[in-house]
Amino acid sequence: MANKEKNFASAVIYVHNAENRITRFLSTIIEIMENNFEHSEIICVNDSSDDSSLQKIKETSEKASITSVSVVNMSYFHGLELSMNAGIDMSIGDFVFEFDNTILDFNPDMIMEIYRKSLTGFDIVSRTNRSTGDRKEKFSSKIFYKVFDRYTNLSYKMTTESFRVLSRRVLNRVDAMNKTIPYRKAVYANCGLKTANVKYTVVNTGDRE
């Protein structure tokens, strides 16, 4: 691609026991970053995986030529929220892609689609399954989202979308907010910046949790 994006892009990927999926997923993200951005980084947050996820990340990262690929190894299992916060804190991009899992059940073109949507004036753009949403959702998260939506008047509805893009302005703002809220999306909903959601249809790729 001759005219690559000048913005620095970061991708933060949550990894926990994903040895069967991480090679394909990470390879896809590397390709997207290198084909579309002049400067990019990928941060894989390995949440104390006890399979070969870490080794596969190291092997796959060798495919990168201009994109920096690094790993944050959590010393014990922290869960999605704390792990992703650790990765996001390390990111330096003008725009940051958050991938809450390594299930590639969407057309990879959607990654740039939500990025271009953000360039039209949105600081947070997420993607949501048109039908059933994500395949897995913790019961505690589901209850929290329902209560949050019931008692707030914010336009950003709490759903279980598994990837989104955030502008640096969002991250700068939420960093100054109260970090005692356990869910990133609740903090994003309270940041007061413009948001959008892109619907998608699940692509059957054979990936499994």
Side-chain angles (χ1 to χ4, degrees):
M1 181 177 292
N3 298 316
K4 294 183 179 181
E5 293 292 321
K6 305 298 183 184
N7 288 318
F8 192 115
S10 298
V12 180
I13 304 171
Y14 177 75
V15 182
H16 176 67
N17 291 346
E19 63 179 8
N20 294 327
R21 305 184 305 273
I22 188 58
T23 297
R24 179 168 176 263
F25 190 89
L26 181 54
S27 296
T28 299
I29 303 305
I30 290 173
E31 182 178 5
I32 293 291
M33 294 293 110
E34 298 205 338
N35 286 346
N36 291 279
F37 295 95
E38 287 189 358
H39 306 287
S40 60
E41 66 173 356
I42 298 172
I43 301 170
C44 296
V45 186
N46 178 35
D47 192 11
S48 192
S49 296
D50 56 15
D51 62 3
S52 61
S53 292
L54 180 58
Q55 181 60 33
K56 290 183 179 295
I57 291 171
K58 292 179 179 179
E59 293 171 357
T60 307
S61 66
E62 294 178 0
K63 299 178 181 179
S65 57
I66 61 174
T67 298
S68 168
V69 181
S70 58
V71 180
V72 177
N73 280 308
M74 309 302 281
S75 57
Y76 59 90
F77 183 77
H78 285 71
L80 174 64
E81 299 300 326
L82 291 177
S83 297
M84 287 298 285
N85 282 335
I88 293 163
D89 285 346
M90 288 187 60
S91 69
I92 61 173
D94 302 306
F95 290 86
V96 178
F97 294 88
E98 290 185 351
F99 296 95
D100 290 356
N101 63 51
T102 53
I103 299 176
L104 194 62
D105 64 350
F106 54 89
N107 188 320
D109 290 343
M110 282 205 68
I111 294 173
M112 292 307 296
E113 180 182 342
I114 69 167
Y115 168 74
R116 294 188 183 98
K117 181 74 173 179
S118 70
L119 296 181
T120 65
F122 296 94
D123 288 285
I124 306 172
V125 182
S126 58
R127 71 82 169 151
T128 302
N129 182 346
R130 291 183 187 278
S131 53
T132 58
D134 292 322
R135 300 174 188 180
K136 289 176 63 179
E137 178 181 5
K138 290 178 63 177
F139 180 74
S140 58
S141 298
K142 185 181 295 185
I143 295 299
F144 179 83
Y145 297 157
K146 286 183 178 180
V147 172
F148 185 92
D149 286 341
R150 173 66 178 81
Y151 293 102
T152 61
N153 294 317
L154 299 172
S155 60
Y156 184 93
K157 293 301 180 182
M158 300 295 288
T159 59
T160 54
E161 75 274 359
S162 62
F163 86 76
R164 65 200 63 79
V165 63
L166 310 170
S167 70
R168 179 53 55 180
R169 181 165 62 166
V170 172
L171 298 176
N172 289 342
R173 180 169 296 191
V174 302
D175 188 59
M177 295 171 66
N178 189 339
K179 286 194 172 183
T180 60
I181 299 176
Y183 298 103
R184 285 165 294 136
K185 285 172 280 187
V187 179
Y188 300 156
N190 278 284
C191 74
L193 298 176
K194 196 172 181 181
T195 66
N197 184 271
V198 176
K199 300 291 185 179
Y200 82 107
T201 301
V202 170
V203 177
N204 185 7
T205 62
D207 285 345
R208 294 289 186 272
E209 281 282 17

